[in-house]
C-alpha cells in the first residue's frame, strides 16, 4: 500500500495586493499531505518527468506554489500508446469491476476532500468553501458513473426476417483524450473520466496549464483506487507546449475520441484537428447566459438566484449568468435589492481566507477583460451602481451596471468575471429576441410566476440548460450540454456515458424458422 502518512507539504504564501485593504494582505499556507502534491506526469502507471518543468502560480499573489513537469509531444505519445495497450484488457473487464473501482475512487475523493479543496483554492483562486463544494460535485460524477456503468444495455430489436435476429450492442469507443479547463480543475475531469472509464474506455488527460495539481492529485487517488496501469494517464504541460501536446491528443490515430471543455475558439481548433481521423468529439464550450426577470417574478428569489449564478467562482463558470434582462415593472426594485445583497454577501480576498466569497480571477488578463467591459459600458452610457474597479493584479470588484444596452461589449461577449450588467425591457418578445440573439446557447435562467409564460419561455430559449426560478442547476443526474456553438453532446445524466459508446448492429442470421 502507498504511504499516506508522509508529513504534510507546507508552502507559506503571503497575499500581498498592492492597493488592497490591509485585511486582504495576510499569509496563508498550503498544507497538503505529500502523496497528493504530485508534480510528475502519470504515464502507464508510472510517475515520470519530462526534461523541463513549469511554475504553478497562486492567482491571488502571483507566487509560485509548485513546479510541474512540462510534457511535450513525446510524453503525450507515450501516454496515448499506454492507453491504447491498456484498452485491450480494460474493455474486457466486467461492468461490475469497473463500477467497483470507480466507487473506490469516489470514496478516496470524499476522504481527501480537504486536501483536494486546498489544491483547487491555491491554484485557481476559488474560495475554500466553494472548492469543497467542487470536490463533492466532482466526486459525485464518479459515484454516478460507478452506478451507470452497470446499466449500459443493448437492444434486441424485432426482426423483419424470420431467420434473423437483430441485436444492438454497446461497445466502448476506445482511447479518449480529455482536455480540461482551469475553472473546475477537479470536476471537469471526473465528469468526463468517470463516464469514459465506466463505458470501458481508457483516457489521457491534459489539464489546464494553470491547474495541473488537482489533476495530478486525482491521478494519485486513481492509482490508490487500483486502476490498472495505462487506464488513466495525465500529461500536464505549460501554455507554450499545449499546442504540440494538443496536436498529438487530437490527431494521433490511436486516439478514438476527444472530449473538451473550454472556450469556443479552442474547441473549434481541436475539432478541426480531430476531423482528419474522424474522431468522436464531445465539446462543452462557452456560454452567454441570459438571466431574465419578468414582472411576475418573486424578486427575493430572483435576487438570490442572480447572486448564486453570477458570483459563484467570481463569475468564472460557463453557465454563469452573463446578461441580465429585467422587465420595466420590477427594474428599480430589482436593482435596489441586488445592490443590498451584493453589499451584504460579497467579500473579496484570498480564497483560503474563510471570510472570502470572491477570490481572484485566474490571471491579470481575466481581470483586464472585465475592466475593459466596464469601461466600454460606461463610455456608452451605463452607470456603475457598485464596484467597477480592479484591485491588485487579478482581483475585480463585484460590479453592478445599470442602463445597459445591447450595443455594449458585455452584452456581446462572455465576461467570465463578476460583472452584473442589467438591461431594462418591456415585453416577453423583446426579452426573448435579445436572449436568443447569440451564436452560443449553454445556460439560460428566468424568473416568473406565470405558468403559461414559464412554459413558453422555457421552450423558446435557445439554450441547452434552463433554470426556471432557479440559479444553480448542475448535478450529475441531469444532462449538461449546449446548443448552437456552445458544444456537441452532453455530460452527466443517463446520456453522459453514451458519449463514450458505439452502437454495433449484429445480425444473427441463418436461423431456420
Ligand atoms: P482559456 O483561454 O481560458 O485558457 P482554453 O479554451 O484555451 O481557455 O483552455 C481550455 C483548455 O484547452 C486548457 O487545458 C488549455 O490548455 C487547452 N488548450 C488551449 N489551446 C489548445 C490547443 N491548441 N491544443 C490542445 N489544448 C489546448
Amino acid at each position: 500500500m502507498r504511504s499516506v502518512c508522509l508529513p504534510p507539504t507546507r508552502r507559506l504564501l503571503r497575499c500581498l495586493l498592492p492597493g488592497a485593504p490591509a485585511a486582504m494582505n495576510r499569509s496563508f499556507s498550503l498544507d497538503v499531505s505529500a502523496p497528493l502534491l504530485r508534480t510528475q506526469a502519470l504515464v502507464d502507471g508510472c510517475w515520470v518527468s519530462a526534461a523541463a518543468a513549469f511554475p504553478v502560480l497562486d492567482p491571488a499573489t502571483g507566487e509560485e506554489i509548485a513546479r510541474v513537469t512540462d510534457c511535450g509531444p513525446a510524453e503525450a505519445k507515450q501516454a496515448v500508446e499506454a492507453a491504447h495497450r491498456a484498452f485491450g484488457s480494460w474493455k474486457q473487464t466486467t461492468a461490475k469491476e469497473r463500477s467497483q473501482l470507480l466507487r473506490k475512487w469516489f470514496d478516496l475523493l470524499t476522504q481527501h476532500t480537504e486536501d483536494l479543496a486546498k489544491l483547487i483554492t491555491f491554484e485557481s483562486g476559488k474560495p475554500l468553501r466553494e472548492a469543497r463544494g467542487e470536490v463533492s460535485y466532482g466526486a459525485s460524477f464518479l459515484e454516478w458513473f460507478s452506478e451507470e456503468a452497470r446499466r449500459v444495455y443493448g437492444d434486441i430489436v424485432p426482426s423483419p426476417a424470420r431467420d434473423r435476429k437483430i441485436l444492438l450492442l454497446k461497445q466502448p469507443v476506445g482511447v479518449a483524450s480529455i482536455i480540461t479547463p482551469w475553472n473546475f480543475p477537479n470536476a471537469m475531469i471526473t465528469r468526463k473520466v468517470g463516464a469514459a472509464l465506466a463505458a470501458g474506455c481508457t483516457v489521457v488527460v491534459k489539464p489546464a496549464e494553470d491547474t495541473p495539481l488537482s489533476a495530478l492529485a486525482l491521478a494519485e487517488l486513481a492509482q490508490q483506487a487500483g486502476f490498472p496501469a495505462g487506464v488513466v494517464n495525465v500529461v500536464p504541460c505549460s501554455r507554450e507546449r499545449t499546442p504540440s501536446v494538443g496536436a498529438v491528443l487530437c490527431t494521433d490515430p490511436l486516439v478514438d475520441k476527444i472530449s473538451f471543455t473550454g472556450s469556443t475558439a479552442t474547441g473549434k481548433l481541436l475539432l478541426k484537428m480531430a476531423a482528419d481521423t474522424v474522431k468522436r468529439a464531445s465539446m462543452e464550450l462557452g456560454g452567454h447566459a441570459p438571466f431574465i426577470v419578468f414582472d411576475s417574478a418573486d424578486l427575493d428569489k430572483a435576487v438570490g438566484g442572480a447572486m448564486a449564478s453570477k458570483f459563484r467562482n467570481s463569475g468564472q463558470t460557463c453557465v454563469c449568468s452573463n446578461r441580465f434582462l429585467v422587465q420595466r415593472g420590477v427594474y428599480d426594485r430589482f436593482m435596489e435589492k441586488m445592490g443590498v445583497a451584493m453589499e451584504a454577501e460579497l467579500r473579496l480576498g484570498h480564497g483560503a481566507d474563510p471570510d472570502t466569497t470572491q477570490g481572484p480571477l485566474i490571471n491579470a488578463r481575466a481581470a483586464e477583460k472585465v475592466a475593459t467591459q466596464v469601461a466600454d459600458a460606461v463610455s456608452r452610457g451605463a452607470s456603475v451602481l457598485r464596484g467597477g474597479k480592479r484591485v491588485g493584479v487579478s482581483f475585480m470588484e463585484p460590479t453592478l451596471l445599470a442602463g445597459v444596452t445591447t450595443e455594449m461589449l458585455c452584452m456581446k461577449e462572455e465576461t467570465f468575471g463578476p460583472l452584473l450588467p442589467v438591461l431594462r425591457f418591456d415585453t416577453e418578445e423583446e426579452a426573448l429576441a435579445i436572449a436568443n440573439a447569440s451564436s452560443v446557447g449553454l445556460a439560460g435562467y428566468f424568473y416568473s410566476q406565470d405558468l403559461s409564460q414559464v412554459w413558453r419561455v422555457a421552450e423558446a430559449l435557445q439554450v441547452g440548460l434552463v433554470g426556471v426560478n432557479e440559479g444553480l442547476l448542475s448535478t450529475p443526474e441531469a444532462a449538461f450540454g449546449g446548443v448552437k456553438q456552445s458544444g456537441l453532446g452532453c455530460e452527466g445524466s443517463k446520456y453522459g456515458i453514451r458519449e463514450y459508446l458505439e452502437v454495433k448492429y449484429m445480425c444473427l442470421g441463418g436461423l431456420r424458422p
Side-chain angles (χ1 to χ4, degrees), residues 179-180 182 206-209 239 242-243 246 260-263 266 269-270:
I179 300 176
T180 53
W182 48 263
K206 192 213 83 63
E209 50 277 11
R239 183 167 276 270
T242 288
F260 170 74
T261 296
S263 62
T266 300
L269 195 79
L270 305 192

